[in-house]
Protein backbone atom coordinates (compact mmCIF):
# COMPACT_ATOMS: atom_id res chain seq x y z
CA UNK A 1 0.00 0.00 0.00
CA UNK A 2 2.67 2.51 1.02
CA UNK A 3 4.74 1.81 -2.07
CA UNK A 4 1.79 2.10 -4.44
CA UNK A 5 0.71 5.43 -2.92
CA UNK A 6 4.13 7.10 -2.75
CA UNK A 7 5.29 5.87 -6.18
CA UNK A 8 2.02 6.67 -7.94
CA UNK A 9 1.90 9.56 -10.40
CA UNK A 10 -1.34 10.53 -8.65
CA UNK A 11 -0.81 9.64 -4.95
CA UNK A 12 -3.96 11.45 -3.84
CA UNK A 13 -6.17 9.33 -6.11
CA UNK A 14 -4.38 6.17 -4.99
CA UNK A 15 -4.81 7.15 -1.35
CA UNK A 16 -8.54 7.66 -1.95
CA UNK A 17 -8.74 4.26 -3.63
CA UNK A 18 -7.31 2.47 -0.59
CA UNK A 19 -9.47 4.41 1.85
CA UNK A 20 -12.56 3.39 -0.12
CA UNK A 21 -11.33 -0.21 -0.39
CA UNK A 22 -11.41 -0.33 3.42
CA UNK A 23 -14.87 1.26 3.48
CA UNK A 24 -13.66 4.16 5.63
CA UNK A 25 -14.92 7.72 5.25
CA UNK A 26 -12.75 10.83 5.26
CA UNK A 27 -14.38 11.84 8.55
CA UNK A 28 -13.58 8.50 10.20
CA UNK A 29 -9.99 8.58 9.02
CA UNK A 30 -9.39 12.21 10.03
CA UNK A 31 -10.99 11.64 13.42
CA UNK A 32 -8.65 8.72 14.11
CA UNK A 33 -5.65 10.80 13.03
CA UNK A 34 -6.79 13.84 15.01
CA UNK A 35 -6.87 16.16 12.00
CA UNK A 36 -9.51 18.00 10.02
CA UNK A 37 -11.41 16.07 7.31
CA UNK A 38 -10.41 18.87 4.92
CA UNK A 39 -6.77 17.76 5.23
CA UNK A 40 -7.63 14.28 3.94
CA UNK A 41 -9.81 15.81 1.23
CA UNK A 42 -6.96 18.13 0.17
CA UNK A 43 -4.49 15.24 -0.07
CA UNK A 44 -6.89 13.12 -2.13
CA UNK A 45 -7.86 15.92 -4.48
CA UNK A 46 -4.30 17.12 -5.00
CA UNK A 47 -4.95 20.54 -3.50
CA UNK A 48 -2.29 19.83 -0.88
CA UNK A 49 1.25 18.72 -1.72
CA UNK A 50 1.58 14.94 -1.93
CA UNK A 51 2.10 13.37 1.51
CA UNK A 52 5.53 11.98 2.27
CA UNK A 53 6.22 8.42 3.35
CA UNK A 54 5.86 9.34 7.06
CA UNK A 55 2.35 10.72 6.63
CA UNK A 56 1.40 7.87 4.27
CA UNK A 57 2.55 5.35 6.89
CA UNK A 58 0.39 7.04 9.54
CA UNK A 59 -2.61 6.96 7.23
CA UNK A 60 -2.10 3.27 6.43
CA UNK A 61 -1.72 2.46 10.13
CA UNK A 62 -4.99 4.29 10.76
CA UNK A 63 -6.80 2.35 8.01
CA UNK A 64 -5.55 -0.96 9.43
CA UNK A 65 -6.40 0.03 13.01
CA UNK A 66 -9.94 1.09 12.10
CA UNK A 67 -10.37 -2.15 10.15
CA UNK A 68 -9.06 -4.12 13.14
CA UNK A 69 -11.63 -2.46 15.39
CA UNK A 70 -14.26 -3.66 12.91
CA UNK A 71 -12.98 -7.24 13.02
CA UNK A 72 -10.18 -7.03 10.41
CA UNK A 73 -12.51 -8.34 7.69
CA UNK A 74 -10.92 -6.28 4.91
CA UNK A 75 -7.35 -7.04 5.98
CA UNK A 76 -8.12 -10.77 6.14
CA UNK A 77 -9.65 -10.61 2.68
CA UNK A 78 -6.56 -8.99 1.18
CA UNK A 79 -4.31 -11.51 2.90
CA UNK A 80 -6.36 -14.32 1.39
CA UNK A 81 -6.02 -12.71 -2.04
CA UNK A 82 -2.28 -13.31 -1.86
CA UNK A 83 -2.64 -17.01 -1.13
CA UNK A 84 -2.43 -19.76 -3.73
CA UNK A 85 -5.48 -19.85 -5.98
CA UNK A 86 -4.90 -23.32 -7.42
CA UNK A 87 -6.88 -23.57 -10.67
CA UNK A 88 -8.10 -20.02 -10.24
CA UNK A 89 -6.13 -18.77 -13.24
CA UNK A 90 -8.15 -20.98 -15.57
CA UNK A 91 -11.37 -19.35 -14.42
CA UNK A 92 -10.48 -15.70 -14.83
CA UNK A 93 -7.97 -13.15 -16.09
CA UNK A 94 -7.00 -10.24 -13.85
CA UNK A 95 -5.52 -6.99 -15.16
CA UNK A 96 -4.33 -4.07 -13.03
CA UNK A 97 -3.93 -0.46 -14.17
CA UNK A 98 -1.16 1.74 -12.77
CA UNK A 99 -3.40 4.79 -13.14
CA UNK A 100 -7.20 5.17 -12.99
CA UNK A 101 -9.19 4.75 -16.20
CA UNK A 102 -12.59 6.24 -16.96
CA UNK A 103 -15.28 3.55 -16.98
CA UNK A 104 -17.06 5.29 -19.86
CA UNK A 105 -13.85 5.12 -21.93
CA UNK A 106 -13.36 1.50 -20.89
CA UNK A 107 -16.85 0.33 -21.91
CA UNK A 108 -16.56 2.16 -25.22
CA UNK A 109 -13.81 -0.24 -26.27
CA UNK A 110 -16.06 -3.26 -25.71
CA UNK A 111 -19.28 -1.74 -27.08
CA UNK A 112 -21.12 -2.08 -23.77
CA UNK A 113 -24.49 -0.54 -22.93
CA UNK A 114 -25.33 0.90 -19.52
CA UNK A 115 -28.23 -0.96 -17.91
CA UNK A 116 -28.26 1.09 -14.72
CA UNK A 117 -25.91 3.19 -12.64
CA UNK A 118 -23.41 5.93 -13.42
CA UNK A 119 -20.53 5.19 -15.80
CA UNK A 120 -18.83 8.45 -14.84
CA UNK A 121 -16.41 6.76 -12.44
CA UNK A 122 -12.83 5.53 -12.57
CA UNK A 123 -11.52 1.98 -12.27
CA UNK A 124 -8.08 0.56 -11.54
CA UNK A 125 -8.36 -2.66 -13.49
CA UNK A 126 -10.66 -5.39 -14.68
CA UNK A 127 -11.30 -9.08 -14.24
CA UNK A 128 -12.69 -11.32 -16.98
CA UNK A 129 -14.51 -14.27 -15.45
CA UNK A 130 -15.79 -17.40 -17.15
CA UNK A 131 -19.28 -17.42 -15.59
CA UNK A 132 -20.04 -21.12 -16.02
CA UNK A 133 -16.64 -22.32 -14.77
CA UNK A 134 -16.82 -19.91 -11.85
CA UNK A 135 -20.18 -21.38 -10.83
CA UNK A 136 -18.95 -24.98 -11.19
CA UNK A 137 -15.36 -24.67 -9.92
CA UNK A 138 -14.91 -21.54 -7.78
CA UNK A 139 -15.22 -22.25 -4.07
CA UNK A 140 -17.19 -19.75 -1.96
CA UNK A 141 -14.09 -18.63 -0.07
CA UNK A 142 -12.23 -18.01 -3.35
CA UNK A 143 -14.64 -15.49 -4.83
CA UNK A 144 -12.83 -12.51 -3.30
CA UNK A 145 -9.73 -13.39 -5.33
CA UNK A 146 -11.32 -12.02 -8.48
CA UNK A 147 -10.81 -8.50 -7.11
CA UNK A 148 -7.04 -8.57 -7.56
CA UNK A 149 -5.31 -5.62 -5.88
CA UNK A 150 -8.33 -3.32 -5.85
CA UNK A 151 -12.11 -3.58 -5.71
CA UNK A 152 -12.31 -0.42 -7.86
CA UNK A 153 -12.43 -2.54 -10.99
CA UNK A 154 -14.81 -3.85 -13.63
CA UNK A 155 -15.90 -7.46 -13.21
CA UNK A 156 -16.65 -8.88 -16.66
CA UNK A 157 -18.67 -12.10 -16.57
CA UNK A 158 -18.50 -13.98 -19.88
CA UNK A 159 -20.99 -16.48 -21.29
CA UNK A 160 -23.88 -14.93 -19.38
CA UNK A 161 -27.48 -15.94 -20.13
CA UNK A 162 -29.47 -13.68 -17.78
CA UNK A 163 -26.97 -12.10 -15.38
CA UNK A 164 -28.82 -13.20 -12.26
CA UNK A 165 -26.17 -15.62 -10.91
CA UNK A 166 -23.23 -13.18 -11.22
CA UNK A 167 -25.17 -10.42 -9.48
CA UNK A 168 -26.32 -12.75 -6.69
CA UNK A 169 -22.64 -13.65 -6.14
CA UNK A 170 -21.76 -9.95 -6.00
CA UNK A 171 -24.64 -9.31 -3.62
CA UNK A 172 -23.48 -11.86 -1.03
CA UNK A 173 -19.79 -10.96 -1.29
CA UNK A 174 -18.18 -8.75 1.35
CA UNK A 175 -16.30 -6.80 -1.33
CA UNK A 176 -18.09 -4.86 -4.06
CA UNK A 177 -16.72 -4.04 -7.53
CA UNK A 178 -16.67 -0.67 -9.22
CA UNK A 179 -18.84 -2.03 -12.04
CA UNK A 180 -20.20 -5.29 -13.46
CA UNK A 181 -20.28 -6.06 -17.18
CA UNK A 182 -22.32 -8.98 -18.54
CA UNK A 183 -20.94 -10.42 -21.78
CA UNK A 184 -23.14 -12.36 -24.18
CA UNK A 185 -26.50 -10.64 -23.72
CA UNK A 186 -28.18 -7.40 -24.72
CA UNK A 187 -29.91 -4.93 -22.38
CA UNK A 188 -33.34 -6.48 -22.93
CA UNK A 189 -32.09 -9.90 -21.82
CA UNK A 190 -30.75 -8.78 -18.45
CA UNK A 191 -32.72 -10.37 -15.63
CA UNK A 192 -34.84 -8.04 -13.51
CA UNK A 193 -33.34 -9.40 -10.28
CA UNK A 194 -29.82 -8.71 -11.58
CA UNK A 195 -30.83 -5.13 -12.37
CA UNK A 196 -32.44 -4.68 -8.95
CA UNK A 197 -29.36 -5.97 -7.14
CA UNK A 198 -27.18 -3.54 -9.08
CA UNK A 199 -29.49 -0.69 -8.08
CA UNK A 200 -29.51 -1.72 -4.42
CA UNK A 201 -25.73 -2.05 -4.32
CA UNK A 202 -25.28 1.13 -6.39
CA UNK A 203 -23.02 -0.72 -8.82
CA UNK A 204 -23.04 0.30 -12.49
CA UNK A 205 -24.35 -2.64 -14.52
CA UNK A 206 -23.56 -2.95 -18.22
CA UNK A 207 -24.04 -5.52 -20.97
CA UNK A 208 -22.27 -6.27 -24.23
CA UNK A 209 -22.89 -8.71 -27.06
CA UNK A 210 -19.30 -8.57 -28.32
CA UNK A 211 -17.68 -12.02 -28.34
CA UNK A 212 -15.48 -13.01 -25.40
CA UNK A 213 -12.51 -13.33 -27.76
CA UNK A 214 -12.98 -9.84 -29.24
CA UNK A 215 -13.59 -8.43 -25.79
CA UNK A 216 -10.27 -9.74 -24.48
CA UNK A 217 -8.45 -8.63 -27.65
CA UNK A 218 -9.84 -5.10 -27.49
CA UNK A 219 -8.83 -4.72 -23.85
CA UNK A 220 -5.37 -6.17 -24.42
CA UNK A 221 -4.79 -3.65 -27.21
CA UNK A 222 -5.26 -0.73 -24.85
Amino acid sequence: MAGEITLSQNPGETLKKWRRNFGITQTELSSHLGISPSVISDYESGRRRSPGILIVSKIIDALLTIDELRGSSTARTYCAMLSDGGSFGRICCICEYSEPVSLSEFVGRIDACVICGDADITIYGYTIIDSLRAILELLPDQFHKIYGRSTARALIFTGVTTGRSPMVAVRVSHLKPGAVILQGIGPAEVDGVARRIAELERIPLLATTISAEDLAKNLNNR
Side-chain angles (χ1 to χ4, degrees):
M1 289 169 60
E4 183 180 2
I5 294 171
T6 55
L7 295 177
S8 171
Q9 294 182 14
N10 191 339
E13 187 70 27
T14 307
L15 175 60
K16 179 168 64 174
K17 177 194 74 172
W18 279 108
R19 177 180 60 77
R20 288 180 171 178
N21 285 351
F22 276 82
I24 295 171
T25 66
Q26 290 182 345
T27 301
E28 289 173 317
L29 179 57
S30 62
S31 176
H32 185 86
L33 291 169
I35 59 177
S36 169
S38 64
V39 174
I40 300 297
S41 176
D42 286 347
Y43 277 135
E44 293 184 352
S45 65
R47 290 189 296 267
R48 184 180 291 254
R49 188 168 62 87
S50 299
I53 186 63
L54 180 60
I55 296 177
V56 169
S57 296
K58 290 182 178 179
I59 292 174
I60 292 174
D61 285 343
L63 293 176
L64 293 173
T65 299
I66 295 172
D67 184 56
E68 183 178 4
L69 293 173
R70 295 175 174 179
S72 300
S73 58
T74 303
R76 285 200 304 269
T77 297
Y78 275 107
C79 286
M81 286 179 181
L82 300 176
S83 63
D84 180 21
S87 61
F88 186 68
R90 293 183 290 129
I91 299 174
C92 74
C93 171
I94 298 176
C95 177
E96 311 288 354
Y97 292 147
S98 58
E99 297 295 332
V101 171
S102 165
L103 178 62
S104 57
E105 172 194 344
F106 179 88
V107 301
R109 297 201 305 274
I110 57 174
D111 196 25
C113 298
V114 178
I115 306 302
C116 62
D118 184 6
D120 188 23
I121 63 171
T122 56
I123 56 174
Y124 283 81
Y126 63 86
T127 302
I128 302 177
I129 312 156
D130 184 319
S131 296
L132 181 58
R133 295 192 69 168
I135 293 172
L136 296 177
E137 302 178 27
L138 198 61
L139 299 177
D141 61 354
Q142 289 182 313
F143 187 75
H144 58 262
K145 294 179 183 290
I146 67 177
Y147 289 99
R149 295 188 309 187
S150 171
T151 55
R153 69 194 309 106
L155 297 187
I156 307 172
F157 292 90
T158 63
V160 171
T161 54
T162 68
R164 177 179 290 198
S165 294
M167 291 310 298
V168 168
V170 169
R171 173 71 166 169
V172 300
S173 174
H174 169 64
L175 300 177
K176 307 299 179 184
V180 172
I181 300 173
L182 307 175
Q183 181 276 326
I185 58 176
E189 301 169 276
V190 176
D191 181 81
V193 173
R195 184 193 298 264
R196 183 57 179 154
I197 290 174
E199 292 171 343
L200 289 172
E201 297 290 347
R202 297 183 179 179
I203 298 172
L205 179 63
L206 304 97
T208 179
T209 56
I210 189 174
S211 71
E213 292 76 14
D214 286 342
L215 182 148
K217 182 172 64 176
N218 289 355
L219 293 178
N220 287 335
N221 289 336
R222 174 179 180 271

